[in-house]
Amino acid sequence: VGDGEVFDVAVIGAGVVGCAIARELSRYPVRAVVLEAADDVGEGTSKANTAILHCGFDAAPGTLESRLVRHGYRLLTAYAAQVGIPVEPVGALMVAWDAEQLAALPRLAVKAAANGYPGSRIVERPELYLREPHLGPGALAALEVLGESVICPWTTTLAFATQALNGGVELRLGTRVTGITPGGPAAPHELATSGGPVRARHLVNAAGLAADEIDRMLGCDGFTVTPRRGELVVFDKLARPLVNHILLPVPTERGKGVLVAPTVYGNVLLGPTAEDLTDRADTGSTRQGTESLFRHGERLLPALVREEVTAVYAGLRAATEHADYQLRGHPEKRYVCVGGIRSTGLSASMAIAEHVAGLLVEGGLGLREGRDPAPVRMPNIGEAMPRPYQRDDLVAADPEYGRIVCHCERVTRGELRDALGGVLPARTLAGLSRRTRAGNGRCQGFHCGAEVRALLAGRVDPAGTGDGTDDGRGGGAGPAPAGDPVRSVTR
Ligand SMILES: Cc1cc2nc3c(=O)[nH]c(=O)nc-3n(C[C@H](O)[C@H](O)[C@H](O)COP(=O)(O)OP(=O)(O)OC[C@H]3O[C@@H](n4cnc5c(N)ncnc54)[C@H](O)[C@@H]3O)c2cc1C
């Protein structure tokens, strides 16, 4: 699309939600562009969450969030199996620790049924300790929810973006939207961006923590984002045998509370906290946050807090003054706002995308004759399926999959090479870690950092202005480039 040309749709934000919307749009013969301020997809809230694929059993019945989480859970479960996103259906136990919480469990079972989960059941104390022998003393009973799963949030966003790119959607990274003015009938939206002007007929605001700012640029004023920080602790893989399910607390007004969950990478997570901030960029971990998590952990699973900590991190939920998602179409403005996607956006992402497509149609966008996106198979970075170094066939065909670079996480040169190629190459160390796990292990890159940096430097031009094309060596276990020509612009 040249300077004078107009996109059918511009999506602001390439988090898990914006990428899911881009993938959905790639099914139709429309010209769409995604504008992302960061240098990679999934760099905002989508990279730092609790990584649970919620089935929606505890959402407020009747809300849009409840409907979209439930539907999104089904869509993403099927999609993950199709494209190879690591998911482990470990199930959840919501543990009651006092009489009040115990009394709440039957009510929560009724709520779960109202949300479409008749299968939840009360697990009495003896069974609970049989199933979770390391649980701290004093647990009274639990509500079992079979559907809750753990998922790889990074692969999810990358899979959506890869399919969107393969389907012809343009992705402009390093492109911040700074202003929006109304244009003429042919191009109702004129966007000022750090990468030059962009014109579009329809606009989707999936800007996460900045969704309210974008909304105001469009003359709307329906909500204000208050970043709600969630801090988490990642425990070493030696802690993994300590927990069999996602261990949930009984939720309160302020959120889902502090949980213990296995990860698909073989670690254990403790968190998140919930603290309202004013700074929309403050993703720092704090001493108070970590100490409060350890206090919770001591009660939930005392043996866990004696294990070694691999990392701490924090993410910001895009909370608003409203209880539900701020997801609405403004057909007269040819604009869809996807705001307030607080703590369930990963689970609901595919359903949100479908819903947004419907709202775009109401705004006059012709979305007929949708086709299935060309299939992709994502590299497996989860522990439930064989990793490349474990696959004799792969190593025999390409010895690079047998050369381990990151020994903590068993990441091979072949995987790093693939992640630096393909349609959506990593351009930063963090991007490389999200694609491969390199540097995420117990030594946090102390051992492999130099080699990984050298590989990155060899593949990314120093000015960071490469055009994102593959040199032909990528492939193998990497995202399979397929389908229409790819148009990826990286600044
Ligand atoms: C601690 C925590 C735990 C969570 N746990 C879970 C969980 O277990 N399961 C679950 O389903 N969900 C969970 N969530 C919620 C989930 O992570 C979010 O709902 C989801 O990531 C939101 O995605 P998004 O695409 O809307 O936002 P983001 O990922 O923040 O993406 C928005 C993007 O917009 C870009 N952007 C902003 N302004 C501009 C601009 N002006 N121009 C261009 N680009 C712009 C940003 O750079 C960003 O990349 C959790 C969240 C947190 C914080």
Side-chain angles (χ1 to χ4, degrees):
V1 174
D3 276 351
E5 290 181 90
V6 182
F7 287 97
D8 293 315
V9 189
V11 179
I12 305 174
V16 71
V17 171
C19 290
I21 294 166
R23 175 189 171 277
E24 180 67 23
L25 290 172
S26 75
R27 301 178 49 227
Y28 300 93
V30 293
R31 289 203 309 206
V33 63
V34 182
L35 307 168
E36 169 53 55
D39 283 341
D40 198 0
V41 301
E43 264 287 344
T45 299
S46 299
K47 77 174 175 196
N49 51 46
T50 316
I52 294 176
L53 177 50
H54 295 296
C55 58
F57 77 98
D58 59 344
T63 58
L64 184 61
E65 180 175 16
S66 146
R67 181 153 64 86
L68 296 182
V69 171
R70 184 165 35 154
H71 185 41
Y73 169 83
R74 288 198 208 105
L75 292 176
L76 188 48
T77 301
Y79 180 71
Q82 224 176 64
V83 306
I85 296 168
V87 173
E88 289 185 41
V90 289
L93 291 169
M94 183 178 276
V95 182
W97 296 90
D98 59 34
E100 200 181 320
Q101 293 177 4
L102 187 63
L105 294 186
R107 281 201 304 277
L108 286 159
V110 171
K111 192 178 183 186
N115 279 319
Y117 290 91
S120 65
R121 67 172 190 107
I122 308 283
V123 175
E124 300 298 344
R125 185 188 156 93
E127 184 188 340
L128 178 58
Y129 278 97
L130 270 180
R131 292 175 64 182
E132 287 292 354
H134 298 281
L135 205 60
L140 301 176
L143 183 72
E144 174 170 32
V145 186
L146 289 173
E148 293 285 269
S149 305
V150 293
I151 185 167
C152 175
W154 305 322
T155 309
T156 305
T157 307
L158 287 164
F160 293 155
T162 301
Q163 276 193 316
L165 285 165
N166 286 345
V169 173
E170 190 168 319
L171 171 64
R172 296 193 184 176
L173 297 172
T175 304
R176 180 176 293 281
V177 175
T178 53
I180 303 167
T181 47
H189 302 292
E190 299 204 347
L191 285 74
T193 83
S194 55
V198 173
R199 303 201 301 154
R201 293 188 183 87
H202 296 262
L203 193 62
V204 177
N205 168 8
L209 292 161
D212 56 342
E213 290 165 6
I214 299 289
D215 204 44
R216 289 195 186 102
M217 289 181 196
L218 272 297
C220 305
D221 194 10
F223 64 99
T224 299
V225 171
T226 300
R228 184 167 294 160
R229 181 165 58 192
E231 297 186 39
L232 292 112
V233 178
V234 185
F235 286 90
D236 189 79
K237 293 181 203 307
L238 290 173
R240 179 64 185 85
L242 294 176
V243 59
N244 300 318
H245 307 82
I246 301 164
L247 298 179
L248 300 171
V250 176
T252 65
E253 284 289 289
R254 292 200 40 81
K256 293 176 188 292
V258 173
L259 55 83
V260 172
T263 74
V264 292
Y265 323 113
N267 299 82
V268 178
L269 279 183
L270 172 65
T273 56
E275 179 194 3
D276 287 347
L277 305 179
T278 47
D279 184 346
R280 295 175 186 224
D282 190 354
T283 52
S285 295
T286 65
R287 171 187 281 267
Q288 300 93 298
T290 311
E291 282 175 355
S292 108
L293 289 178
F294 269 75
R295 277 195 300 278
H296 278 96
E298 183 71 53
R299 177 165 203 198
L300 285 166
L301 211 66
L304 179 67
V305 297
R306 322 233 184 289
E307 291 290 340
E308 285 177 15
V309 169
T310 297
V312 292
Y313 67 92
L316 299 174
R317 306 169 186 87
T320 72
E321 64 275 43
H322 305 283
D324 206 349
Y325 287 170
Q326 295 304 293
L327 203 180
R328 58 178 75 98
H330 299 270
E332 71 296 349
K333 291 182 193 278
R334 298 191 186 186
Y335 162 57
V336 178
C337 176
V338 195
I341 313 295
R342 300 164 302 171
S343 42
T344 49
L346 168 62
S347 311
S349 51
M350 295 186 82
I352 292 174
E354 269 187 18
H355 189 70
V356 167
L359 294 173
L360 283 167
V361 170
E362 282 174 23
L365 181 69
L367 290 183
R368 276 181 291 276
E369 295 165 38
R371 58 189 156 86
D372 283 341
V376 292
R377 193 73 197 165
M378 300 302 290
N380 171 38
I381 62 170
E383 289 299 304
M385 290 186 293
R387 298 273 308 286
Y389 77 93
Q390 294 169 314
R391 288 183 49 193
D392 293 346
D393 58 329
L394 215 54
V395 178
D398 183 346
E400 289 292 86
Y401 292 116
R403 300 209 168 97
I404 292 186
V405 176
C406 169
H407 285 262
C408 299
E409 299 296 304
R410 313 272 203 276
V411 182
T412 64
R413 276 183 73 97
E415 291 165 276
L416 289 161
R417 175 203 61 202
D418 294 345
L420 289 163
V423 299
L424 187 52
R427 314 215 134 248
T428 59
L429 271 184
L432 206 45
S433 292
R434 285 197 293 275
R435 286 162 178 78
T436 63
R437 279 169 49 182
N440 285 356
R442 55 178 8 207
C443 90
Q444 291 286 291
F446 180 79
H447 175 78
C448 67
E451 190 172 353
V452 173
R453 273 193 179 81
L455 288 168
L456 181 67
R459 294 295 298 270
V460 179
D461 63 280
T465 54
D467 66 0
T469 51
D470 191 0
D471 72 355
R473 284 191 298 152
D484 299 340
V486 166
R487 292 166 291 171
S488 168
V489 180
T490 306
R491 287 176 48 78

